[in-house]
Amino acid sequence: MNHFLDINTTGVSDLRGMIDSALAMKTARNGRPKGALDDDQPLKDHMVALIFEKPSTRTRVSFDVGVRQMGGQTMVLSGKEMQLGHGETIADTARVLSRYVDLIMIRTFEEQVLHELAEYADVPVINGLTDRSHPCQIMADILTYEEHRGPIAGKKVVWSGDGNNVCASFLHAAGQFGFDLTFTGPEVLDPEDVFVAEARSKGVTVTLERDPAKAVKGADLVVTDTWVSMHDAQSARERRHNQLRPYQVNEELMAHANPDALFMHCLPAHRDEEATSTVMDGPHSVIFDEAENRLHAQKAVMRWCLGK
């Protein structure tokens, strides 16, 4: 069974096949109405459960639209509507949902919830986000980079800010797709050692550089993410702002990157905090292509999960 739980646990050839499939599907839709069904409908007569313990805009809309474009139907469930891990065990929930649907996507907090769901489900499970990783986002980011600049293998990617779950999936991708990654941010917010070590074990260079200008020198891609979570207390927000302010992606910082470097942010953004509006709306930015490509990348992921 093809679960899509993390980039580092998915085969390199499978990942490459998903990126190529995503680009082919996107190209095939050029000039067609957004609501039109794909000519190829691999999810016809399929039901997909979309579970959201954490709120979402891009994940919810992109998965829902993607399923519908491929001829399937969705059942959207929130944590409040379910007894996931509360009134009913995750294992029992997985067994029950497997009797009703063909595919499950979950956006949750604890990574263990994802893994337990996958262990007991009889249908494929997709990681829509956990507190430790966000693989669907990075698949969209790889697609976006290659759409604009060609193969990402051998390129230099710089992550500026918090070594969070999105950063973790970029490290997973570095090892699988063969690009180097430099993290620049305060030591207290470094990515987990295990993610850094795994990427290095696959032959790519991972660098931790405290000076953001030095980190960005020669970069082909500069990436950041929001400094605070919607769940953070006000005191935590203020502390993170103080820690991360030197790592804001602004025009001055981007000037140290390669002239044709791209800028990405997975959104939602706090404009003029982690990145300035000048950069987000500037010539390096591909943030809205990146957002659109969540749709195409996830369609490819779903097809792969179902052997389509």
Side-chain angles (χ1 to χ4, degrees):
M1 189 182 306
N2 291 331
H3 296 305
F4 185 72
L5 304 183
D6 271 313
I7 288 174
N8 64 325
T9 58
T10 306
V12 173
S13 61
D14 290 326
L15 293 168
R16 171 48 54 193
M18 285 182 244
I19 295 295
D20 294 343
S21 172
L23 182 57
M25 284 188 287
K26 181 176 183 178
T27 301
R29 289 195 63 83
N30 284 345
R32 303 184 65 190
K34 293 182 175 61
L37 294 177
D38 292 353
D39 290 334
D40 180 18
Q41 295 184 41
L43 267 63
K44 188 176 187 299
D45 299 325
H46 284 65
M47 177 65 71
V48 180
L50 307 177
I51 303 173
F52 293 92
E53 289 199 298
K54 297 184 77 169
S56 165
T57 298
R58 274 149 296 279
T59 301
R60 175 166 179 165
V61 174
S62 57
F63 266 107
D64 200 345
V65 170
V67 172
R68 292 166 189 262
Q69 285 182 352
M70 293 191 292
Q73 298 185 60
T74 59
M75 176 185 299
V76 182
L77 301 165
S78 72
K80 294 179 181 179
E81 295 171 320
M82 302 183 67
Q83 297 178 326
L84 191 65
H86 303 294
E88 181 176 57
T89 67
I90 295 165
D92 285 352
T93 298
R95 293 181 179 110
V96 169
L97 284 177
S98 297
R99 301 295 180 99
Y100 300 140
V101 304
D102 302 288
L103 180 65
I104 300 169
M105 187 288 302
I106 184 168
R107 181 179 172 94
T108 188
F109 293 91
E110 296 181 14
E111 184 182 53
Q112 182 55 36
V113 172
L114 168 75
H115 288 289
E116 190 170 349
L117 193 69
E119 180 180 356
Y120 291 97
D122 294 324
V123 298
V125 173
I126 295 173
N127 177 359
L129 175 141
T130 72
D131 286 344
R132 291 194 79 204
S133 65
H134 196 0
C136 288
Q137 178 62 57
I138 284 14
M139 292 297 284
D141 294 353
I142 301 298
L143 172 61
T144 304
Y145 184 87
E146 296 198 342
E147 192 177 25
H148 284 268
R149 295 289 185 265
I152 197 169
K155 301 299 184 181
K156 178 179 178 180
V157 175
V158 176
W159 179 278
S160 183
D162 178 9
N164 61 11
N165 53 350
V166 186
C167 179
S169 286
F170 250 115
L171 283 163
H172 291 161
Q176 299 293 71
F177 286 94
F179 58 85
D180 298 329
L181 191 141
T182 297
F183 171 83
T184 187
E187 185 175 0
V188 69
L189 296 176
D190 278 353
E192 292 184 38
D193 291 341
V194 65
F195 299 144
V196 173
E198 183 180 18
R200 286 173 173 165
S201 75
K202 295 182 178 178
V204 299
T205 299
V206 178
T207 305
L208 296 135
E209 172 58 65
R210 303 299 166 207
D211 184 331
K214 288 182 181 177
V216 171
K217 185 177 180 180
D220 299 294
L221 170 62
V222 179
V223 192
T224 193
D225 193 7
T226 180
W227 290 346
V228 295
S229 167
M230 66 184 75
H231 308 287
D232 289 339
Q234 184 60 35
S235 59
R237 291 170 180 260
E238 292 173 1
R239 182 173 64 253
R240 279 179 171 259
H241 277 85
N242 291 334
Q243 293 168 332
L244 289 164
R245 194 166 289 112
Y247 300 96
Q248 181 191 66
V249 181
N250 49 39
E251 286 184 292
E252 181 181 356
L253 186 63
M254 287 300 299
H256 293 280
N258 286 338
D260 64 346
L262 298 180
F263 168 74
M264 292 188 190
H265 188 308
C266 67
L267 303 177
H270 295 90
R271 282 177 173 261
D272 299 311
E273 291 185 10
E274 65 268 13
T276 61
S277 290
T278 307
V279 169
M280 293 181 68
D281 298 326
H284 298 284
S285 178
V286 289
I287 60 174
F288 297 112
D289 290 341
E290 185 185 3
E292 178 191 343
N293 282 339
R294 287 288 300 277
L295 168 65
H296 308 296
Q298 288 162 185
K299 285 168 69 174
V301 169
M302 288 188 281
R303 291 186 70 138
W304 175 79
C305 285
L306 293 169
K308 302 289 187 176

